[in-house]
Amino acid sequence: MSTPILLKRSENAKVSAPNNRYPKRAAFEFYPTPPEATRALLSVESFQGDIWEPACGDGAISKVLEAAGYQVVSTDLIDRGYGAGGHNFLKSETPLAKNIITNPPYGTHGLGDAFVRRALIHARKTGGSVAMLLNLRSLCHPDRTPRFQRCP
């Protein structure tokens, strides 16, 4: 069975206020995930164990996962009234759950790639899975193809 690849924030990227260079981007890359995206993932994948949503925002992904019966740990760098705010996933050393599912901020300077790297580090520790929700353009970058082939 083919597994969809879903990606989120970057490990080495700096977190900053709204970017003046890219004024059309939402502050702190806050773009809530439509519930249909998470339901589509769950229609083709299942996860054993609890799930960490490290960029939970307003809980869009977490709420769908919880409704599907999963135990979810929800954190975010910014407190948006859902989950635990003030948690920098990119600096986290200890996984908070076996699996990670998120829609990372894409940002600039490799923010999405850093999220993927950190999530894979945690998954190696827990034996869990990583699902990152990314736009198609993220998958097309020639530097990423070998990485996705090594770790689908």
Side-chain angles (χ1 to χ4, degrees), residues 26-37:
F28 297 102
E29 296 289 309
F30 180 57
Y31 296 99
T33 304
E36 296 80 17

Side-chain angles (χ1 to χ4, degrees), residues 73-130:
V73 177
S74 302
T75 63
D76 203 312
L77 183 62
I78 308 301
D79 186 349
R80 299 189 191 281
Y82 191 92
H87 190 276
N88 188 339
F89 177 67
L90 299 179
K91 295 188 183 275
S92 63
E93 296 295 326
T94 304
L96 299 183
K98 182 176 181 178
N99 304 288
I100 296 173
I101 299 175
T102 193
N103 175 8
Y106 306 154
T108 57
H109 310 295
L111 187 58
D113 288 335
F115 256 75
V116 171
R117 283 192 301 272
R118 177 58 52 187
L120 292 173
I121 288 168
H122 287 323
R124 280 192 282 279
K125 292 177 183 177
T126 65
S129 298
V130 173

Side-chain angles (χ1 to χ4, degrees), residues 33-57:
T33 304
E36 296 80 17
T38 307
R39 286 196 290 266
L41 168 65
L42 295 178
S43 75
V44 295
E45 288 294 329
S46 61
F47 299 86
Q48 301 300 315
D50 52 359
I51 297 171
W52 181 9
E53 211 299 39
C56 71

